[in-house]
Amino acid sequence: MSGPDTLGAVRAAVFDGPGAVSVEELELEAPRAREVLVRMGASGVCHSDLHVVDGEWPRPSPVVMGHEGAGVVEAVGDGVRGVEVGDHVVLSWFYACGRCAHCLAGRAWACSGTRAGECVLDDGTTRFRRPSGEDVYTYLAVGSMAERSVVPEAAAIPVPRDVPWEVAALIGCAVTTGVGAVVNTARVEAGASVVVLGCGGVGLSVVIGAALVGAHPIVAVDVSEEKLALAQEVGATHAARSPDEARALVGGGADYAFEAIGLVETVEAVPSLLGPGGVGVLVGLTAAGVRASFDVYSFVDAGQTLVGSIYGGAVPALDFPRIAELYLAGKLPLDRLVSHRIGLGDLDEAFAAMRRRERARSVVVFG
Ligand SMILES: NC(=O)c1ccc[n+]([C@@H]2O[C@H](COP(=O)([O-])OP(=O)(O)OC[C@H]3O[C@@H](n4cnc5c(N)ncnc54)[C@H](O)[C@@H]3O)[C@@H](O)[C@H]2O)c1
Ligand SMILES: [Zn+2]
Ligand SMILES: [Zn+2]
């Protein structure tokens, strides 16, 4: 083991009951075997954080929020082979066990051996503690809304050092989720027509992915003019204010429609946006337990497909460096996603803006 045994106080945004987060000073223990201490460079604010803060998804608490982060490795525990002190790493919010049937089949996003969903490290514990001695969980075993965090080795994926922190952080969730939904889950072909419902960080990344593979046309749908303008800057060929408007733009129905909001009304609109043989990709997440319905006869008669896409069907150790290289090669305009640079103390304001459907992506930047 290299690095300090006990670490100083760490400022972190803690969720401990619906509505808000509080910035607290927590104690952080040094990494144990196969764990990595990361000094955070940046952490994006994703709607999946907001679902938790708004009490829509049950999660253990208190919990250090943030699952879209990147930083530099400061220390490593025993047995760590994949990263070294000084490496720049993008954090994966679904660290894979590497041993289950899904991992062995190359579907790390479906790993059944991970404990990420429990918000604990591989041994079932956490390294954060309140001064009172109370354990504090880390959201999806990442906890990137903190100056430093201890994560499983499998969650720390090295990327080239010249990727700016804000962009690296977004590769940790929105970008991989959106670009991966196009490239891995749907495997969209050049020339295919695409509708994207919702142009937040995730939906804009779907647009960027669709442009990367040469889809055409790419119809972006949002209720915010600002988001629609941005969608057109990053590759959308058309903008629509509703699914009805989008339907009119893709005559006989689209080849692919992506839902990147998580609303019942837009989920239910997906089959009606597709042409015969079309593929609907559900990326947005609703509150737990929400149901949606659609016209089964029309769906079957048109031979359509509906698929859920989690984490862009990605293998982070493969996809994060690939996306980083595409960005560095100028093929992915990821800088455009970063609309607001904020501090940890500004998080409640960022969540409020997200509830009002404002801002493409707020990103906490650490000094
Ligand atoms: N599947 C996954 O692996 C995965 C990963 C990350 C996030 N998500 C989910 O994806 C969704 C989007 O995340 P985000 O961070 O981009 O959220 P966001 O809040 O930044 O973006 C949502 C967008 O939808 C727009 N919108 C809201 N209501 C609308 C309506 N009725 N019609 C059209 N547009 C509307 C908003 O203006 C906003 O631009 C969330 O549900 C999030 O939890 C899923
Ligand atoms: Zn996310
Ligand atoms: Zn696994």
Side-chain angles (χ1 to χ4, degrees):
M1 143 100 225
S2 64
D5 288 320
T6 49
L7 310 164
V10 170
R11 287 177 73 238
V14 178
F15 167 74
D16 198 8
V21 293
S22 58
V23 178
E24 300 182 16
E25 299 237 319
L26 301 177
E27 289 162 12
L28 183 61
E29 209 186 293
R32 297 185 191 168
R34 292 181 302 284
E35 296 171 2
V36 171
L37 170 67
V38 176
R39 176 178 289 279
M40 226 52 75
S43 173
V45 181
C46 174
H47 206 117
S48 297
D49 295 300
L50 183 57
H51 283 300
V52 173
V53 171
D54 283 346
E56 293 181 350
W57 299 348
R59 287 284 182 265
S61 64
V63 58
V64 174
M65 290 307 304
H67 64 282
E68 185 176 75
V72 60
V73 174
E74 267 197 344
V76 299
D78 286 338
V80 169
R81 307 255 179 277
V83 291
E84 290 176 3
V85 171
D87 279 353
H88 286 204
V89 290
V90 171
L91 303 178
S92 160
W93 54 254
F94 204 65
Y95 71 89
C97 77
R99 297 178 298 274
C100 73
H102 298 291
C103 280
L104 296 175
R107 297 190 299 265
W109 50 271
C111 172
S112 54
T114 180
R115 302 191 69 174
E118 297 170 64
C119 301
V120 293
L121 298 163
D122 208 23
D123 67 358
T125 67
T126 168
R127 303 288 157 262
F128 279 109
R129 211 147 290 121
R130 278 179 165 155
S132 65
E134 183 185 14
D135 279 347
V136 182
Y137 295 92
T138 47
Y139 186 40
L140 299 175
V142 169
S144 54
M145 291 177 180
E147 293 166 328
R148 299 152 110 192
S149 188
V150 170
V151 303
E153 175 186 12
I157 312 297
V159 293
R161 287 173 197 220
D162 28 5
V163 180
W165 287 130
E166 296 95 313
V167 168
L170 298 195
I171 292 174
C173 186
V175 172
T176 296
T177 297
V179 173
V182 173
V183 173
N184 299 322
T185 310
R187 298 181 182 272
V188 172
E189 316 88 354
S193 54
V194 169
V195 174
V196 184
L197 298 162
C199 299
V202 173
L204 288 168
S205 298
V206 173
V207 170
I208 287 172
L212 175 74
V213 301
H216 186 87
I218 301 170
V219 181
V221 185
D222 206 292
V223 288
S224 150
E225 290 300 327
E226 199 185 322
K227 308 277 178 72
L228 287 174
L230 193 47
Q232 286 174 290
E233 283 174 41
V234 299
T237 56
H238 299 75
R241 280 86 196 150
S242 67
D244 284 343
E245 239 185 75
R247 198 174 297 111
L249 288 167
V250 282
D255 296 316
Y256 297 90
F258 294 80
E259 205 280 353
I261 308 169
L263 279 184
V264 172
E265 62 192 88
T266 40
V267 167
E268 291 185 338
V270 166
S272 70
L273 287 165
L274 297 170
V279 178
V281 185
L282 304 187
V283 181
L285 289 156
T286 63
V290 168
R291 305 179 72 89
S293 67
F294 57 93
D295 180 333
V296 177
Y297 181 88
S298 305
F299 180 79
V300 177
D301 189 49
Q304 294 169 342
T305 302
L306 206 48
V307 60
S309 181
I310 193 74
Y311 218 162
V315 177
L318 182 67
D319 289 277
F320 288 0
R322 270 191 186 170
I323 290 173
E325 292 293 352
L326 283 168
Y327 163 77
L328 291 173
K331 293 179 186 295
L332 298 173
L334 304 183
D335 302 288
R336 305 308 316 272
L337 299 177
V338 183
S339 57
H340 294 74
R341 290 172 174 80
I342 63 172
L344 275 181
D346 306 319
L347 276 168
D348 282 329
E349 200 184 322
F351 285 130
M354 187 175 262
R355 289 187 195 100
R356 292 193 302 266
R357 301 167 177 169
E358 293 167 8
R359 302 187 180 185
R361 208 52 151 197
S362 303
V363 181
V364 178
V365 179
F366 296 88

